[in-house]
Amino acid sequence: MRDRTFQITSGAVVLVLLFTVIALALVSLQSGPKLREITLNSNLATALPQQRVALAFNQSINADNLGEIKLTPAADITASVTENKLILTFARPLLAGVTYRAETAVTSATTGTSRAITGEFTTDPLDLTVLKPRPAETQTTAQDKIIAYRVAASGSITNPKNGNSTASGIELFEGARITDFARGGDWLAVTKQNNARAMDFLVQRIGSATARADGAAAAATDNPAGRTPERAAHIPAEQTIIPQTPTQQRRALAFSDDGALLGIKFFNGVSDNLHLYPVSKIDPDTVRSVRNEAGNELTVTSWAFIPGSSEAVLQTESGSYYRVPLNGAATQISAEQVAQLLAKMNTAEIFTEQPESVADVMFPLPTSKTVFDGVLSIRDNNLLYNGASLYEPAAESSKITGVCVSANEQFALARVTAANSQSQLSVIELATGKTLFSAPGVTADWCR
């Protein structure tokens, strides 16, 4: 009898719980869709147009009954619905280090119940990687350095490792006579002179401390609680020297936007060729040479990865253009197709040689840039202009010898060369003209 009473009681409890769950589910459905999460790829969203932000809900939503979307700060977007997700596609790259707020009303596709929702997401600061050459008057033992900064809309410059405010940056690499570099996520590729005064390609995974040309890196403590901010190791230091001769022309190195490939243009003793390496396995044995459909290796004068992909375009010595897919042979295309594939990239800068810079002929920078809202240009060698005066060096004897912009066209980078030929790179917010900071350097990854 006692067992039967227990069974009846247990069954009643189960029924109560079941009814409670059903009731809560009905209440949840009747209260309208609830926002669960917001996802985006911040690196791509602040670098490329037509990137998406997805707002996921706890139930499917009605695509035909979507409320007006208010976005702060304002941006040009299109909206679409896929089952339980509201997809916002941004016409232009997002601002970096900014919190966006989206407000709208969504309707349940199941019950027809509407609900006002508000969601926020914050983009990451931009990475800025700078080449700082050794001062000309120093001893020959001094090294060139590659230094990383993170730049946000608030004007803050932060330590890439720990987010603390800093104006000095973090040294990623040092070595003699650096001639080119590229950064892709956790990887750094460099061309430099070796001890035998020959040139090397070197690929370095960014480690816990300053990487040196000999591949060594300062050790980080194994005790997480004891780590100082400067020693906060997140990945091990790795280094590979690729036995090829760097090209004497510009754009020797580049990573694809999706981080899958490293492209290296090198000199084979007769002409320049292009090799592609998978970033997941940087090794001389994994190289893929770029060949046409006949199997012939192509000579290369200029090249670039297609934004947002692992495909590339190149120009040969004969002036022909080719598209290089992720796998397979390169196919010939027209100059018009190149312009379409590279979209916002300035093809005139990529496929023609730039004029020599006053500051340093090894690192030529453009004297004007076409941006979303007009043209950014240098006037009279000492005024940065975008429809109004934007920036002017403090010293009258200093000249602006080149200008670049961040991928999202939020910031300008001006190279200022003093009377003693020393160069500084100044970061300016385009919307306000505010100078965020200046640091010694001749070029940066924003200028590629």
Side-chain angles (χ1 to χ4, degrees):
M1 183 70 179
R2 185 178 305 170
D3 289 342
R4 179 168 178 79
T5 302
F6 174 76
Q7 290 175 353
I8 294 173
T9 304
S10 299
V13 170
V14 169
L15 285 175
V16 169
L17 290 174
L18 179 61
F19 284 129
T20 300
V21 169
I22 293 173
L24 289 173
L26 289 173
V27 169
S28 177
L29 287 173
Q30 291 174 356
S31 64
K34 291 183 179 180
L35 182 61
R36 281 183 171 173
E37 64 175 351
I38 300 177
T39 58
L40 76 157
N41 184 324
S42 186
N43 287 336
L44 291 182
T46 55
L48 298 171
Q50 301 301 316
Q51 297 301 299
R52 297 179 174 184
V53 174
L55 288 74
F57 295 87
N58 66 337
Q59 54 187 285
S60 296
I61 57 177
N62 191 334
D64 298 324
N65 196 18
L66 187 64
E68 179 183 358
I69 299 174
K70 178 183 177 183
L71 194 68
T72 308
D76 184 8
I77 61 170
T78 56
S80 60
V81 171
T82 303
E83 296 181 348
N84 70 323
K85 291 182 179 180
L86 170 60
I87 309 296
L88 305 181
T89 302
F90 287 75
R92 287 167 52 165
L94 278 67
L95 300 174
V98 168
T99 297
Y100 284 83
R101 180 184 179 92
E103 300 173 84
T104 189
V106 293
T107 301
S108 170
T110 304
T111 67
T113 305
S114 296
R115 185 187 186 101
I117 62 101
T118 298
E120 292 185 346
F121 60 92
T122 301
T123 55
D124 294 333
L126 292 184
D127 289 318
L128 172 64
T129 310
V130 170
L131 173 57
K132 176 187 175 183
R134 67 182 182 88
E137 68 276 6
T138 60
Q139 299 295 321
T140 55
T141 54
Q143 303 284 288
D144 298 338
K145 296 182 179 182
I146 296 175
I147 301 175
Y149 303 88
R150 302 204 85 192
V151 185
S154 62
S156 61
I157 311 298
T158 59
N159 184 313
K161 291 180 181 176
N162 56 34
N164 292 341
S165 179
T166 179
S168 59
I170 293 296
E171 291 181 15
L172 301 181
F173 181 87
E174 61 177 13
R177 302 179 186 277
I178 297 172
T179 60
D180 197 9
F181 77 95
R183 184 178 176 187
D186 290 331
W187 289 91
L188 185 71
V190 178
T191 61
K192 59 170 285 293
Q193 190 177 78
N194 60 29
N195 293 334
R197 294 194 174 275
M199 299 300 294
D200 280 333
F201 279 117
L202 184 144
V203 184
Q204 168 79 52
R205 191 169 189 182
I206 300 169
S208 60
T210 301
R212 296 198 296 269
D214 58 5
T221 175
D222 292 327
N223 176 14
R227 287 177 181 163
T228 64
E230 293 299 313
R231 299 290 189 188
H234 56 287
I235 48 178
E238 301 170 4
Q239 193 175 72
T240 301
I241 295 178
I242 299 174
Q244 292 173 335
T245 302
T247 176
Q248 297 300 309
Q249 300 182 26
R250 60 193 178 84
R251 293 192 68 82
L253 306 166
F255 289 91
S256 58
D257 281 334
D258 64 3
L261 291 179
L262 166 65
I264 294 179
K265 186 174 71 167
F266 68 97
F267 184 65
N268 66 8
V270 178
S271 60
D272 285 340
N273 296 121
L274 179 64
H275 278 184
L276 301 176
Y277 292 83
V279 173
S280 60
K281 184 175 174 59
I282 298 290
D283 187 281
D285 295 332
T286 64
V287 66
R288 174 195 164 201
S289 59
V290 175
R291 300 176 181 271
N292 61 17
E293 293 172 305
N296 300 319
E297 191 163 7
L298 294 172
T299 61
V300 179
T301 56
S302 298
W303 76 285
F305 278 114
I306 298 171
S309 79
S310 293
E311 297 189 27
V313 292
L314 63 83
Q315 184 180 35
T316 65
E317 289 181 345
S318 64
S320 299
Y321 295 98
Y322 283 81
R323 180 173 182 171
V324 185
L326 181 59
N327 296 295
T331 56
Q332 192 167 350
I333 59 175
S334 66
E336 290 75 18
Q337 289 173 303
V338 171
Q340 292 173 359
L341 290 171
L342 297 185
K344 288 299 296 180
M345 296 179 71
N346 190 329
T347 55
E349 291 176 11
I350 294 171
F351 292 108
T352 59
E353 289 302 315
Q354 300 172 8
E356 290 185 352
S357 165
V358 174
D360 192 330
V361 295
M362 288 183 62
F363 303 102
L365 300 184
T367 57
S368 67
K369 292 287 293 185
T370 301
V371 293
F372 288 117
D373 299 320
V375 176
L376 183 66
S377 61
I378 300 170
R379 292 191 173 185
D380 300 324
N381 294 324
N382 63 358
L383 179 66
L384 196 58
Y385 184 87
N386 65 340
S389 298
L390 184 69
Y391 169 79
E392 189 172 4
E396 292 185 6
S397 59
S398 295
K399 306 296 182 185
I400 303 177
T401 56
V403 61
C404 311
V405 294
S406 58
N408 65 351
E409 300 190 1
Q410 184 178 358
F411 307 106
L413 184 144
R415 182 171 63 196
V416 179
T417 303
N420 63 0
S421 298
Q422 297 298 309
S423 292
Q424 295 266 337
L425 299 177
S426 294
V427 176
I428 304 120
E429 190 172 37
L430 283 171
T432 63
K434 178 182 177 181
T435 301
L436 304 186
F437 82 113
S438 295
V442 291
T443 191
D445 55 352
W446 291 1
C447 304
R448 300 187 64 80

